[in-house]
Amino acid sequence: MLGENHALILEFPEYKQKIQQLGENDPHFSELAAEYQALDLEIRGLEEYCVPTAEERFSQLTLRRAELKSWLYQQLLR
């Protein structure tokens, strides 16, 4: 769905406390979670406002978001 919010807490509600804990105590997790959030906001803005964007650029953004999401999820499973 276009413009869907993919915030970590919405994607992984069962890990809400762990997301908050890692965000406060793990600088690397916090940094990558912030990058993930910024990418998600950028992608949603492009989708919601139909901003003309090269397909290659849009693909790069969504691929990076997916990579970050995967890495962050792996950290939640530890």
Side-chain angles (χ1 to χ4, degrees):
M1 179 189 313
L2 293 178
E4 187 174 343
N5 187 342
H6 291 277
L8 284 178
I9 291 177
L10 297 177
E11 293 292 297
F12 308 114
E14 66 276 21
Y15 293 106
K16 181 179 179 178
Q17 285 184 331
K18 190 154 187 183
I19 291 168
Q20 291 172 337
Q21 175 193 18
L22 286 170
E24 293 170 2
N25 299 314
D26 183 332
H28 189 60
F29 182 92
S30 180
E31 178 183 330
L32 293 183
E35 182 183 349
Y36 174 87
Q37 180 180 339
L39 277 171
D40 187 50
L41 286 172
E42 182 177 358
I43 291 166
R44 282 190 295 149
L46 293 172
E47 291 174 336
E48 289 178 8
Y49 300 108
C50 300
V51 176
T53 307
E55 186 62 35
E56 182 179 339
R57 174 69 180 142
F58 191 78
S59 292
Q60 289 172 344
L61 293 172
T62 57
L63 177 61
R64 179 63 180 154
R65 180 178 65 181
E67 291 170 344
L68 287 168
K69 182 177 177 180
S70 177
W71 186 90
L72 293 163
Y73 180 67
Q74 291 304 310
Q75 302 313 299
L76 296 173
L77 294 178
R78 296 170 129 197

